[in-house]
Amino acid sequence: CALVTGVQTCALPICFPVTIAYDEANLYLGKQYINSSLNSNKVSVSIDNYIQVQTIDISKWILKNFKQTDYIVLTLDIEGAEYDVIEKMIGDQSLDLIDELYVEFHGKKIVNMSLEYEQHLVDYLINHFKDRVYIYEYYNHGQFIKLNNEAVK
């Protein structure tokens, strides 16, 4: 944590696969680690090559650890799990605690994923967050890329 322009800021990396439950799940491995996914329908994974991992329910974790006055910037690049996570966050209202959202959707990489459903979520997030949402290849794309480039440094 650090004091930045008079505001306490913390970066809290989550080191567990993010999903909608505290549970164990199969993490299907891709040829590269970054292509692995909890979603067995992702084209870059092998359904025969997986490991068991402990998952975290990100919406419950947010509701437990933060309050409305906290400023939360959430990045979701979770290789196909973003659909269920966002739906749950809408339902339990943990999404309302998020001030800025960076998200990458992976529908083009998931077998039988409805791109209409993906567009529905994109439209919902843009309506909900206005200019505080950054969606890879959809909305505020340049800012999303800028964040990723800064994270790599």
Side-chain angles (χ1 to χ4, degrees):
C1 294
L3 195 59
V4 178
T5 61
V7 177
Q8 185 74 19
T9 61
C10 296
L12 303 170
I14 303 295
C15 299
F16 293 95
V18 172
T19 187
I20 59 172
Y22 287 102
D23 203 355
E24 285 192 356
N26 292 336
L27 178 65
Y28 298 95
L29 304 176
K31 291 180 181 174
Q32 296 179 336
Y33 176 73
I34 61 170
N35 298 102
S36 299
S37 179
L38 295 172
N39 189 327
S40 63
N41 289 324
K42 190 166 181 237
V43 296
S44 62
V45 302
S46 168
I47 61 171
D48 298 324
N49 188 16
Y50 62 88
I51 57 173
Q52 283 278 304
V53 294
Q54 182 65 46
T55 62
I56 184 172
D57 182 329
I58 190 68
S59 64
K60 279 187 181 177
W61 185 81
I62 289 169
L63 290 169
K64 179 181 177 186
N65 290 285
F66 295 95
K67 53 190 180 292
Q68 191 67 48
T69 55
D70 293 324
Y71 194 90
I72 303 171
V73 178
L74 179 64
T75 302
L76 292 175
D77 185 358
I78 50 179
E79 304 304 315
E82 61 274 7
Y83 304 94
D84 291 340
V85 167
I86 291 170
E87 286 286 354
K88 184 165 190 282
M89 292 181 76
I90 292 168
D92 68 12
Q93 298 177 335
S94 61
L95 194 67
D96 294 341
L97 294 177
I98 306 303
D99 294 286
E100 293 182 50
L101 177 66
Y102 291 77
V103 63
E104 180 176 356
F105 287 100
H106 295 83
K108 295 175 186 172
K109 300 177 183 177
I110 298 174
V111 177
N112 296 324
M113 172 55 70
S114 166
L115 295 181
E116 289 176 5
Y117 172 62
E118 181 172 292
Q119 187 62 54
H120 165 75
L121 286 180
V122 166
D123 293 343
Y124 178 89
L125 293 173
I126 292 169
N127 186 56
H128 183 83
F129 286 100
K130 308 293 186 231
D131 284 333
R132 298 174 298 113
V133 66
Y134 311 92
I135 305 171
Y136 183 77
E137 294 186 343
Y138 280 104
Y139 190 76
N140 286 335
H141 174 80
Q143 183 64 22
F144 184 97
I145 296 302
K146 181 180 174 187
L147 174 77
N148 274 354
N149 289 340
E150 289 174 3
V152 171
K153 291 180 184 177

